[in-house]
Amino acid sequence: MSERSLIRVGVLGGGQLARMLALAGAPLGTKFLMLDTDANACGGQVAALMQADYRDLDALGRFAAQIDIATFDFENVPADSAAWLAERVPVFPNPRALGVAQDRMAEKSLFRGLGIGTPAFAAVDTLDQLRAAVEQIGLPSILKTRRLGYDGKGQFRLRQPADVEAAWAALAHGQPQASLILEAFVPFDSELSVVGVRGRDGEFRSYPLTRNWHHEGILSLSLAPAEVSDDIAARAVAHAQALADALDYVGVFALELFEQGGELLANEMAPRVHNSGHWTIEGAVSSQFENHLRAVLGLPLGDTATRGHSAMLNWIGALPDCAAALTVPGLHWHDYGKSARAGRKVGHATLRADSAAQLADALERAGQVLQRQPQVQPAIDALRG
Ligand code: AMP
């Protein structure tokens, strides 16, 4: 019997997203090769992993020679490296989409151009520009690095005029120039995300909206489907589709939105599978990971309908007791195989139930068993209306 050749998928980045992509990819007949700067990246526990710098063209060449198609688990791969790779193998999403999502100014300018509301924002390169931007946008506001920020890192909240110097010092690191953006602080009612997928043929689908709670800038808990009006849901999905079409996007992405008094303001997009879509593994007919692979491989997209109601709890810093967690009915455990470290995403759990009331009961039980989950009570309150 001759050996069957599997489709070889390359992933730039070898973290938990690459790991969950590889796990979803096995039934589709794929074989993964990940490239990461860390030889111990957790994706390497389930698939082949190459350790290299993303700028190392020799390594990228060897990577390209071993794969049929490339995608990302990490959006901060240098856009030049993505473009270089795209000349050798098909790369999805395309490097332009990646480039836009890497820069908060480019991203918010595109949102505006598409008629998608955003918090007021201004580019800030110098301390004088920061002073002018604070005058224009007002306080409270948030100063962020334009690039390389994630999980609330590279951000400084300004509450009063005296914070200007401290904010500049925190993000410019003593340099006269820095590439920053000032955004109005949005006193949102809720944070929502649209996880969408667009196929190579332009077909677009989205999962029902997810409601997200953050703790110290990091996603803590998600509920899906979010309890929002049909009008808000339709506007959010239309924004996501407009964005995907404008970027000729292929694959899964997330659009993060603030909802305030029925108005939607876009915060950012993630050009990859997203933490707020992890509930889809057990909570949707086809998961975001399967759908990303279907899209980039040019296969028909899978059903994005939910299976009942889901909650996703992130394990930040360290894992709780797995055996205790598994006593909660309907709980699914995901250990990323990472070592414990403050602020690090090391795993998650999904709770799935047939109704919002049952999900609230399961979350209550999870809260009792696991104790230290900060956002469980607000989510229970949201579910019980
Ligand atoms: P980001 O890295 O931009 O996704 O920000 C992380 C989290 O900080 C968001 O999910 C919000 O909870 C909060 N945040 C960021 N920007 C704003 C804003 N302009 N107004 C209010 N909260 C914000």
Side-chain angles (χ1 to χ4, degrees), residues 104 108 119-120 141-142 144 149-153 155 157 183-188 191 213-219 256 258 267-268:
R104 292 186 191 272
K108 287 207 162 61
S141 51
I142 305 191
K144 300 182 180 178
Y150 68 100
D151 285 347
K153 293 186 176 63
Q155 300 193 6
R157 278 194 198 183
E183 296 176 14
F185 180 83
V186 181
F188 52 77
E191 288 194 74
W213 282 265
H214 289 76
H215 182 67
E216 295 170 352
I218 305 177
L219 182 63
E256 296 180 23
F258 300 127
N267 178 32
E268 62 178 352

PDB file of all heavy atoms in Angstrom, residues 104 108 119-120 141-142 144 149-153 155 157 183-188 191 213-219 256 258 267-268, ligand 1:
ATOM      1  N   ARG A 104      -2.770  49.809  14.670  1.00  0.00           N
ATOM      2  CA  ARG A 104      -4.062  50.301  15.164  1.00  0.00           C
ATOM      3  C   ARG A 104      -4.562  51.524  14.381  1.00  0.00           C
ATOM      4  O   ARG A 104      -5.778  51.725  14.274  1.00  0.00           O
ATOM      5  CB  ARG A 104      -3.966  50.656  16.650  1.00  0.00           C
ATOM      6  CG  ARG A 104      -3.777  49.455  17.571  1.00  0.00           C
ATOM      7  CD  ARG A 104      -3.852  49.896  19.025  1.00  0.00           C
ATOM      8  NE  ARG A 104      -3.439  48.869  19.958  1.00  0.00           N
ATOM      9  CZ  ARG A 104      -4.250  47.939  20.472  1.00  0.00           C
ATOM     10  NH1 ARG A 104      -5.518  47.892  20.137  1.00  0.00           N
ATOM     11  NH2 ARG A 104      -3.774  47.053  21.333  1.00  0.00           N
ATOM     12  N   LYS A 108      -8.081  51.325  12.381  1.00  0.00           N
ATOM     13  CA  LYS A 108      -9.201  52.216  12.719  1.00  0.00           C
ATOM     14  C   LYS A 108      -9.549  53.109  11.538  1.00  0.00           C
ATOM     15  O   LYS A 108     -10.719  53.457  11.329  1.00  0.00           O
ATOM     16  CB  LYS A 108      -8.865  53.048  13.961  1.00  0.00           C
ATOM     17  CG  LYS A 108      -8.897  52.203  15.233  1.00  0.00           C
ATOM     18  CD  LYS A 108      -9.220  53.013  16.472  1.00  0.00           C
ATOM     19  CE  LYS A 108      -9.680  52.140  17.623  1.00  0.00           C
ATOM     20  NZ  LYS A 108      -8.701  51.154  18.090  1.00  0.00           N
ATOM     21  N   PRO A 119     -14.106  54.505  18.529  1.00  0.00           N
ATOM     22  CA  PRO A 119     -13.870  55.580  19.503  1.00  0.00           C
ATOM     23  C   PRO A 119     -13.067  56.679  18.793  1.00  0.00           C
ATOM     24  O   PRO A 119     -12.333  56.376  17.848  1.00  0.00           O
ATOM     25  CB  PRO A 119     -13.010  54.898  20.580  1.00  0.00           C
ATOM     26  CG  PRO A 119     -13.126  53.428  20.342  1.00  0.00           C
ATOM     27  CD  PRO A 119     -13.451  53.237  18.897  1.00  0.00           C
ATOM     28  N   ALA A 120     -13.196  57.941  19.241  1.00  0.00           N
ATOM     29  CA  ALA A 120     -12.360  59.006  18.667  1.00  0.00           C
ATOM     30  C   ALA A 120     -10.900  58.603  18.854  1.00  0.00           C
ATOM     31  O   ALA A 120     -10.538  58.025  19.876  1.00  0.00           O
ATOM     32  CB  ALA A 120     -12.630  60.322  19.377  1.00  0.00           C
ATOM     33  N   SER A 141      -8.989  58.843  28.502  1.00  0.00           N
ATOM     34  CA  SER A 141      -8.621  58.268  27.210  1.00  0.00           C
ATOM     35  C   SER A 141      -7.520  57.237  27.430  1.00  0.00           C
ATOM     36  O   SER A 141      -7.015  57.098  28.543  1.00  0.00           O
ATOM     37  CB  SER A 141      -8.206  59.362  26.226  1.00  0.00           C
ATOM     38  OG  SER A 141      -7.247  60.203  26.802  1.00  0.00           O
ATOM     39  N   ILE A 142      -7.195  56.518  26.362  1.00  0.00           N
ATOM     40  CA  ILE A 142      -6.193  55.449  26.485  1.00  0.00           C
ATOM     41  C   ILE A 142      -5.111  55.669  25.439  1.00  0.00           C
ATOM     42  O   ILE A 142      -5.426  55.824  24.244  1.00  0.00           O
ATOM     43  CB  ILE A 142      -6.801  54.047  26.259  1.00  0.00           C
ATOM     44  CG1 ILE A 142      -7.989  53.809  27.195  1.00  0.00           C
ATOM     45  CG2 ILE A 142      -5.761  52.965  26.480  1.00  0.00           C
ATOM     46  CD1 ILE A 142      -8.462  52.370  27.215  1.00  0.00           C
ATOM     47  N   LYS A 144      -2.125  53.985  23.443  1.00  0.00           N
ATOM     48  CA  LYS A 144      -1.723  52.612  23.102  1.00  0.00           C
ATOM     49  C   LYS A 144      -0.576  52.654  22.107  1.00  0.00           C
ATOM     50  O   LYS A 144      -0.480  53.583  21.307  1.00  0.00           O
ATOM     51  CB  LYS A 144      -2.874  51.848  22.422  1.00  0.00           C
ATOM     52  CG  LYS A 144      -4.137  51.701  23.245  1.00  0.00           C
ATOM     53  CD  LYS A 144      -5.190  50.888  22.480  1.00  0.00           C
ATOM     54  CE  LYS A 144      -6.464  50.727  23.284  1.00  0.00           C
ATOM     55  NZ  LYS A 144      -7.508  49.986  22.541  1.00  0.00           N
ATOM     56  N   GLY A 149       0.864  45.513  20.436  1.00  0.00           N
ATOM     57  CA  GLY A 149       0.148  45.455  21.716  1.00  0.00           C
ATOM     58  C   GLY A 149      -0.773  44.242  21.719  1.00  0.00           C
ATOM     59  O   GLY A 149      -1.293  43.863  20.682  1.00  0.00           O
ATOM     60  N   TYR A 150      -0.935  43.608  22.848  1.00  0.00           N
ATOM     61  CA  TYR A 150      -1.925  42.535  22.957  1.00  0.00           C
ATOM     62  C   TYR A 150      -2.261  42.344  24.426  1.00  0.00           C
ATOM     63  O   TYR A 150      -1.479  42.711  25.308  1.00  0.00           O
ATOM     64  CB  TYR A 150      -1.404  41.212  22.347  1.00  0.00           C
ATOM     65  CG  TYR A 150      -0.279  40.591  23.126  1.00  0.00           C
ATOM     66  CD1 TYR A 150      -0.508  39.536  24.003  1.00  0.00           C
ATOM     67  CD2 TYR A 150       1.017  41.080  23.020  1.00  0.00           C
ATOM     68  CE1 TYR A 150       0.534  38.973  24.740  1.00  0.00           C
ATOM     69  CE2 TYR A 150       2.058  40.534  23.751  1.00  0.00           C
ATOM     70  CZ  TYR A 150       1.809  39.486  24.603  1.00  0.00           C
ATOM     71  OH  TYR A 150       2.823  38.943  25.341  1.00  0.00           O
ATOM     72  N   ASP A 151      -3.436  41.781  24.672  1.00  0.00           N
ATOM     73  CA  ASP A 151      -3.877  41.501  26.044  1.00  0.00           C
ATOM     74  C   ASP A 151      -3.657  42.690  26.970  1.00  0.00           C
ATOM     75  O   ASP A 151      -3.205  42.543  28.113  1.00  0.00           O
ATOM     76  CB  ASP A 151      -3.143  40.269  26.601  1.00  0.00           C
ATOM     77  CG  ASP A 151      -3.688  38.972  26.002  1.00  0.00           C
ATOM     78  OD1 ASP A 151      -4.753  39.018  25.371  1.00  0.00           O
ATOM     79  OD2 ASP A 151      -3.044  37.923  26.179  1.00  0.00           O
ATOM     80  N   GLY A 152      -3.969  43.894  26.481  1.00  0.00           N
ATOM     81  CA  GLY A 152      -3.884  45.080  27.337  1.00  0.00           C
ATOM     82  C   GLY A 152      -2.452  45.564  27.558  1.00  0.00           C
ATOM     83  O   GLY A 152      -2.237  46.537  28.288  1.00  0.00           O
ATOM     84  N   LYS A 153      -1.467  44.896  26.918  1.00  0.00           N
ATOM     85  CA  LYS A 153      -0.081  45.363  27.068  1.00  0.00           C
ATOM     86  C   LYS A 153       0.137  46.538  26.131  1.00  0.00           C
ATOM     87  O   LYS A 153      -0.510  46.640  25.096  1.00  0.00           O
ATOM     88  CB  LYS A 153       0.903  44.235  26.733  1.00  0.00           C
ATOM     89  CG  LYS A 153       0.845  43.089  27.729  1.00  0.00           C
ATOM     90  CD  LYS A 153       1.913  42.057  27.454  1.00  0.00           C
ATOM     91  CE  LYS A 153       1.922  40.970  28.501  1.00  0.00           C
ATOM     92  NZ  LYS A 153       0.675  40.172  28.543  1.00  0.00           N
ATOM     93  N   GLN A 155      -0.459  49.717  26.899  1.00  0.00           N
ATOM     94  CA  GLN A 155      -1.577  50.663  27.050  1.00  0.00           C
ATOM     95  C   GLN A 155      -1.424  51.446  28.339  1.00  0.00           C
ATOM     96  O   GLN A 155      -0.933  50.912  29.334  1.00  0.00           O
ATOM     97  CB  GLN A 155      -2.910  49.916  27.128  1.00  0.00           C
ATOM     98  CG  GLN A 155      -3.201  49.083  25.916  1.00  0.00           C
ATOM     99  CD  GLN A 155      -4.629  48.608  25.869  1.00  0.00           C
ATOM    100  OE1 GLN A 155      -5.449  49.002  26.702  1.00  0.00           O
ATOM    101  NE2 GLN A 155      -4.936  47.776  24.914  1.00  0.00           N
ATOM    102  N   ARG A 157      -3.865  54.232  30.655  1.00  0.00           N
ATOM    103  CA  ARG A 157      -5.117  55.004  30.797  1.00  0.00           C
ATOM    104  C   ARG A 157      -4.840  56.369  31.372  1.00  0.00           C
ATOM    105  O   ARG A 157      -4.195  56.480  32.418  1.00  0.00           O
ATOM    106  CB  ARG A 157      -6.075  54.281  31.728  1.00  0.00           C
ATOM    107  CG  ARG A 157      -6.806  53.211  30.995  1.00  0.00           C
ATOM    108  CD  ARG A 157      -7.981  52.704  31.776  1.00  0.00           C
ATOM    109  NE  ARG A 157      -8.315  51.414  31.174  1.00  0.00           N
ATOM    110  CZ  ARG A 157      -9.326  50.666  31.540  1.00  0.00           C
ATOM    111  NH1 ARG A 157     -10.110  51.047  32.514  1.00  0.00           N
ATOM    112  NH2 ARG A 157      -9.561  49.532  30.935  1.00  0.00           N
ATOM    113  N   GLU A 183      -6.842  57.020  22.132  1.00  0.00           N
ATOM    114  CA  GLU A 183      -8.252  56.704  21.870  1.00  0.00           C
ATOM    115  C   GLU A 183      -9.110  57.195  23.023  1.00  0.00           C
ATOM    116  O   GLU A 183      -8.702  57.096  24.186  1.00  0.00           O
ATOM    117  CB  GLU A 183      -8.456  55.181  21.799  1.00  0.00           C
ATOM    118  CG  GLU A 183      -7.757  54.501  20.678  1.00  0.00           C
ATOM    119  CD  GLU A 183      -7.948  52.985  20.752  1.00  0.00           C
ATOM    120  OE1 GLU A 183      -8.824  52.505  21.519  1.00  0.00           O
ATOM    121  OE2 GLU A 183      -7.206  52.298  20.057  1.00  0.00           O
ATOM    122  N   ALA A 184     -10.301  57.664  22.693  1.00  0.00           N
ATOM    123  CA  ALA A 184     -11.257  58.014  23.749  1.00  0.00           C
ATOM    124  C   ALA A 184     -11.590  56.748  24.531  1.00  0.00           C
ATOM    125  O   ALA A 184     -11.710  55.662  23.960  1.00  0.00           O
ATOM    126  CB  ALA A 184     -12.526  58.579  23.130  1.00  0.00           C
ATOM    127  N   PHE A 185     -11.712  56.870  25.837  1.00  0.00           N
ATOM    128  CA  PHE A 185     -12.147  55.741  26.661  1.00  0.00           C
ATOM    129  C   PHE A 185     -13.656  55.596  26.493  1.00  0.00           C
ATOM    130  O   PHE A 185     -14.414  56.559  26.658  1.00  0.00           O
ATOM    131  CB  PHE A 185     -11.797  55.990  28.134  1.00  0.00           C
ATOM    132  CG  PHE A 185     -12.223  54.857  29.015  1.00  0.00           C
ATOM    133  CD1 PHE A 185     -11.419  53.737  29.145  1.00  0.00           C
ATOM    134  CD2 PHE A 185     -13.442  54.894  29.684  1.00  0.00           C
ATOM    135  CE1 PHE A 185     -11.823  52.667  29.941  1.00  0.00           C
ATOM    136  CE2 PHE A 185     -13.851  53.829  30.469  1.00  0.00           C
ATOM    137  CZ  PHE A 185     -13.043  52.715  30.604  1.00  0.00           C
ATOM    138  N   VAL A 186     -14.104  54.394  26.165  1.00  0.00           N
ATOM    139  CA  VAL A 186     -15.537  54.146  25.932  1.00  0.00           C
ATOM    140  C   VAL A 186     -16.147  53.518  27.187  1.00  0.00           C
ATOM    141  O   VAL A 186     -15.753  52.408  27.571  1.00  0.00           O
ATOM    142  CB  VAL A 186     -15.736  53.194  24.731  1.00  0.00           C
ATOM    143  CG1 VAL A 186     -17.214  52.962  24.465  1.00  0.00           C
ATOM    144  CG2 VAL A 186     -15.038  53.720  23.492  1.00  0.00           C
ATOM    145  N   PRO A 187     -17.093  54.214  27.837  1.00  0.00           N
ATOM    146  CA  PRO A 187     -17.752  53.603  29.002  1.00  0.00           C
ATOM    147  C   PRO A 187     -18.830  52.614  28.516  1.00  0.00           C
ATOM    148  O   PRO A 187     -20.021  52.846  28.630  1.00  0.00           O
ATOM    149  CB  PRO A 187     -18.364  54.806  29.730  1.00  0.00           C
ATOM    150  CG  PRO A 187     -18.553  55.837  28.660  1.00  0.00           C
ATOM    151  CD  PRO A 187     -17.594  55.552  27.530  1.00  0.00           C
ATOM    152  N   PHE A 188     -18.357  51.499  27.945  1.00  0.00           N
ATOM    153  CA  PHE A 188     -19.259  50.585  27.226  1.00  0.00           C
ATOM    154  C   PHE A 188     -20.220  49.864  28.174  1.00  0.00           C
ATOM    155  O   PHE A 188     -19.923  49.661  29.351  1.00  0.00           O
ATOM    156  CB  PHE A 188     -18.442  49.571  26.421  1.00  0.00           C
ATOM    157  CG  PHE A 188     -17.387  48.846  27.209  1.00  0.00           C
ATOM    158  CD1 PHE A 188     -17.714  47.807  28.064  1.00  0.00           C
ATOM    159  CD2 PHE A 188     -16.046  49.202  27.089  1.00  0.00           C
ATOM    160  CE1 PHE A 188     -16.737  47.130  28.786  1.00  0.00           C
ATOM    161  CE2 PHE A 188     -15.058  48.522  27.815  1.00  0.00           C
ATOM    162  CZ  PHE A 188     -15.413  47.496  28.666  1.00  0.00           C
ATOM    163  N   GLU A 191     -18.878  44.362  25.912  1.00  0.00           N
ATOM    164  CA  GLU A 191     -17.909  44.093  24.849  1.00  0.00           C
ATOM    165  C   GLU A 191     -18.408  42.881  24.084  1.00  0.00           C
ATOM    166  O   GLU A 191     -18.779  41.864  24.684  1.00  0.00           O
ATOM    167  CB  GLU A 191     -16.525  43.801  25.423  1.00  0.00           C
ATOM    168  CG  GLU A 191     -15.852  45.032  25.991  1.00  0.00           C
ATOM    169  CD  GLU A 191     -14.367  44.800  26.253  1.00  0.00           C
ATOM    170  OE1 GLU A 191     -13.582  44.754  25.294  1.00  0.00           O
ATOM    171  OE2 GLU A 191     -14.011  44.657  27.428  1.00  0.00           O
ATOM    172  N   TRP A 213     -15.997  39.380  28.694  1.00  0.00           N
ATOM    173  CA  TRP A 213     -15.600  40.113  29.900  1.00  0.00           C
ATOM    174  C   TRP A 213     -14.087  40.002  30.040  1.00  0.00           C
ATOM    175  O   TRP A 213     -13.546  38.882  29.969  1.00  0.00           O
ATOM    176  CB  TRP A 213     -16.263  39.507  31.141  1.00  0.00           C
ATOM    177  CG  TRP A 213     -17.694  39.884  31.327  1.00  0.00           C
ATOM    178  CD1 TRP A 213     -18.181  40.903  32.083  1.00  0.00           C
ATOM    179  CD2 TRP A 213     -18.847  39.226  30.762  1.00  0.00           C
ATOM    180  NE1 TRP A 213     -19.564  40.924  32.031  1.00  0.00           N
ATOM    181  CE2 TRP A 213     -19.987  39.911  31.221  1.00  0.00           C
ATOM    182  CE3 TRP A 213     -19.016  38.138  29.907  1.00  0.00           C
ATOM    183  CZ2 TRP A 213     -21.280  39.532  30.868  1.00  0.00           C
ATOM    184  CZ3 TRP A 213     -20.293  37.765  29.543  1.00  0.00           C
ATOM    185  CH2 TRP A 213     -21.414  38.463  30.029  1.00  0.00           C
ATOM    186  N   HIS A 214     -13.438  41.137  30.247  1.00  0.00           N
ATOM    187  CA  HIS A 214     -11.987  41.147  30.429  1.00  0.00           C
ATOM    188  C   HIS A 214     -11.649  41.392  31.892  1.00  0.00           C
ATOM    189  O   HIS A 214     -12.424  42.003  32.628  1.00  0.00           O
ATOM    190  CB  HIS A 214     -11.345  42.245  29.571  1.00  0.00           C
ATOM    191  CG  HIS A 214     -11.386  41.940  28.109  1.00  0.00           C
ATOM    192  ND1 HIS A 214     -12.532  42.074  27.361  1.00  0.00           N
ATOM    193  CD2 HIS A 214     -10.431  41.492  27.270  1.00  0.00           C
ATOM    194  CE1 HIS A 214     -12.279  41.719  26.109  1.00  0.00           C
ATOM    195  NE2 HIS A 214     -11.003  41.369  26.032  1.00  0.00           N
ATOM    196  N   HIS A 215     -10.467  40.935  32.283  1.00  0.00           N
ATOM    197  CA  HIS A 215      -9.948  41.209  33.615  1.00  0.00           C
ATOM    198  C   HIS A 215      -8.499  41.630  33.432  1.00  0.00           C
ATOM    199  O   HIS A 215      -7.713  40.896  32.834  1.00  0.00           O
ATOM    200  CB  HIS A 215     -10.057  39.951  34.489  1.00  0.00           C
ATOM    201  CG  HIS A 215      -9.586  40.158  35.884  1.00  0.00           C
ATOM    202  ND1 HIS A 215     -10.245  40.982  36.782  1.00  0.00           N
ATOM    203  CD2 HIS A 215      -8.504  39.683  36.538  1.00  0.00           C
ATOM    204  CE1 HIS A 215      -9.604  40.980  37.923  1.00  0.00           C
ATOM    205  NE2 HIS A 215      -8.538  40.212  37.810  1.00  0.00           N
ATOM    206  N   GLU A 216      -8.171  42.826  33.905  1.00  0.00           N
ATOM    207  CA  GLU A 216      -6.825  43.381  33.741  1.00  0.00           C
ATOM    208  C   GLU A 216      -6.362  43.300  32.291  1.00  0.00           C
ATOM    209  O   GLU A 216      -5.227  42.905  31.986  1.00  0.00           O
ATOM    210  CB  GLU A 216      -5.844  42.666  34.691  1.00  0.00           C
ATOM    211  CG  GLU A 216      -6.214  42.963  36.149  1.00  0.00           C
ATOM    212  CD  GLU A 216      -5.459  42.130  37.180  1.00  0.00           C
ATOM    213  OE1 GLU A 216      -4.743  41.203  36.786  1.00  0.00           O
ATOM    214  OE2 GLU A 216      -5.614  42.436  38.379  1.00  0.00           O
ATOM    215  N   GLY A 217      -7.272  43.677  31.364  1.00  0.00           N
ATOM    216  CA  GLY A 217      -6.926  43.759  29.937  1.00  0.00           C
ATOM    217  C   GLY A 217      -6.904  42.433  29.210  1.00  0.00           C
ATOM    218  O   GLY A 217      -6.675  42.391  28.004  1.00  0.00           O
ATOM    219  N   ILE A 218      -7.148  41.322  29.917  1.00  0.00           N
ATOM    220  CA  ILE A 218      -7.088  39.991  29.286  1.00  0.00           C
ATOM    221  C   ILE A 218      -8.482  39.372  29.284  1.00  0.00           C
ATOM    222  O   ILE A 218      -9.202  39.452  30.292  1.00  0.00           O
ATOM    223  CB  ILE A 218      -6.112  39.059  30.044  1.00  0.00           C
ATOM    224  CG1 ILE A 218      -4.724  39.717  30.161  1.00  0.00           C
ATOM    225  CG2 ILE A 218      -6.007  37.704  29.365  1.00  0.00           C
ATOM    226  CD1 ILE A 218      -3.717  38.890  30.948  1.00  0.00           C
ATOM    227  N   LEU A 219      -8.839  38.729  28.182  1.00  0.00           N
ATOM    228  CA  LEU A 219     -10.150  38.081  28.119  1.00  0.00           C
ATOM    229  C   LEU A 219     -10.260  37.055  29.248  1.00  0.00           C
ATOM    230  O   LEU A 219      -9.363  36.232  29.452  1.00  0.00           O
ATOM    231  CB  LEU A 219     -10.324  37.382  26.766  1.00  0.00           C
ATOM    232  CG  LEU A 219     -11.679  36.705  26.554  1.00  0.00           C
ATOM    233  CD1 LEU A 219     -12.816  37.732  26.560  1.00  0.00           C
ATOM    234  CD2 LEU A 219     -11.693  35.928  25.243  1.00  0.00           C
ATOM    235  N   GLU A 256     -13.680  42.996  17.234  1.00  0.00           N
ATOM    236  CA  GLU A 256     -14.043  43.306  18.622  1.00  0.00           C
ATOM    237  C   GLU A 256     -14.747  44.652  18.664  1.00  0.00           C
ATOM    238  O   GLU A 256     -14.255  45.637  18.111  1.00  0.00           O
ATOM    239  CB  GLU A 256     -12.781  43.378  19.492  1.00  0.00           C
ATOM    240  CG  GLU A 256     -12.047  42.065  19.586  1.00  0.00           C
ATOM    241  CD  GLU A 256     -10.802  42.176  20.457  1.00  0.00           C
ATOM    242  OE1 GLU A 256     -10.725  43.085  21.309  1.00  0.00           O
ATOM    243  OE2 GLU A 256      -9.898  41.368  20.261  1.00  0.00           O
ATOM    244  N   PHE A 258     -17.254  47.558  21.013  1.00  0.00           N
ATOM    245  CA  PHE A 258     -17.858  48.042  22.247  1.00  0.00           C
ATOM    246  C   PHE A 258     -19.310  48.382  21.915  1.00  0.00           C
ATOM    247  O   PHE A 258     -19.585  48.979  20.872  1.00  0.00           O
ATOM    248  CB  PHE A 258     -17.176  49.322  22.739  1.00  0.00           C
ATOM    249  CG  PHE A 258     -15.705  49.165  23.027  1.00  0.00           C
ATOM    250  CD1 PHE A 258     -14.778  50.030  22.460  1.00  0.00           C
ATOM    251  CD2 PHE A 258     -15.251  48.174  23.879  1.00  0.00           C
ATOM    252  CE1 PHE A 258     -13.422  49.900  22.725  1.00  0.00           C
ATOM    253  CE2 PHE A 258     -13.895  48.041  24.158  1.00  0.00           C
ATOM    254  CZ  PHE A 258     -12.979  48.903  23.578  1.00  0.00           C
ATOM    255  N   ASN A 267     -13.239  48.234  18.187  1.00  0.00           N
ATOM    256  CA  ASN A 267     -11.957  48.374  18.883  1.00  0.00           C
ATOM    257  C   ASN A 267     -10.826  47.864  18.004  1.00  0.00           C
ATOM    258  O   ASN A 267      -9.926  48.608  17.647  1.00  0.00           O
ATOM    259  CB  ASN A 267     -12.003  47.631  20.221  1.00  0.00           C
ATOM    260  CG  ASN A 267     -10.682  47.692  20.963  1.00  0.00           C
ATOM    261  OD1 ASN A 267      -9.953  48.677  20.863  1.00  0.00           O
ATOM    262  ND2 ASN A 267     -10.341  46.639  21.683  1.00  0.00           N
ATOM    263  N   GLU A 268     -10.887  46.597  17.638  1.00  0.00           N
ATOM    264  CA  GLU A 268      -9.829  46.075  16.770  1.00  0.00           C
ATOM    265  C   GLU A 268     -10.272  44.809  16.085  1.00  0.00           C
ATOM    266  O   GLU A 268     -11.302  44.227  16.433  1.00  0.00           O
ATOM    267  CB  GLU A 268      -8.550  45.825  17.563  1.00  0.00           C
ATOM    268  CG  GLU A 268      -8.672  44.793  18.658  1.00  0.00           C
ATOM    269  CD  GLU A 268      -7.342  44.553  19.372  1.00  0.00           C
ATOM    270  OE1 GLU A 268      -6.309  45.077  18.920  1.00  0.00           O
ATOM    271  OE2 GLU A 268      -7.342  43.818  20.366  1.00  0.00           O
TER     272      GLU A 268
HETATM  273  P1  AMP B   1      -7.137  45.934  23.235  1.00  0.00           P
HETATM  274  O1  AMP B   1      -5.725  45.467  23.434  1.00  0.00           O
HETATM  275  O2  AMP B   1      -7.241  47.179  22.413  1.00  0.00           O
HETATM  276  O3  AMP B   1      -8.040  44.835  22.744  1.00  0.00           O
HETATM  277  O4  AMP B   1      -7.685  46.307  24.693  1.00  0.00           O
HETATM  278  C1  AMP B   1      -7.853  45.340  25.718  1.00  0.00           C
HETATM  279  C2  AMP B   1      -9.083  45.697  26.544  1.00  0.00           C
HETATM  280  O5  AMP B   1      -8.916  47.001  27.151  1.00  0.00           O
HETATM  281  C3  AMP B   1     -10.364  45.802  25.752  1.00  0.00           C
HETATM  282  O6  AMP B   1     -10.944  44.560  25.510  1.00  0.00           O
HETATM  283  C4  AMP B   1     -11.199  46.684  26.686  1.00  0.00           C
HETATM  284  O7  AMP B   1     -11.669  45.954  27.789  1.00  0.00           O
HETATM  285  C5  AMP B   1     -10.165  47.681  27.169  1.00  0.00           C
HETATM  286  N1  AMP B   1     -10.131  48.842  26.242  1.00  0.00           N
HETATM  287  C6  AMP B   1      -9.311  48.996  25.186  1.00  0.00           C
HETATM  288  N2  AMP B   1      -9.567  50.147  24.530  1.00  0.00           N
HETATM  289  C7  AMP B   1     -10.591  50.735  25.171  1.00  0.00           C
HETATM  290  C8  AMP B   1     -11.325  51.963  24.979  1.00  0.00           C
HETATM  291  N3  AMP B   1     -11.035  52.813  23.988  1.00  0.00           N
HETATM  292  N4  AMP B   1     -12.319  52.239  25.864  1.00  0.00           N
HETATM  293  C9  AMP B   1     -12.613  51.386  26.889  1.00  0.00           C
HETATM  294  N5  AMP B   1     -11.955  50.231  27.120  1.00  0.00           N
HETATM  295  C10 AMP B   1     -10.958  49.907  26.292  1.00  0.00           C
END
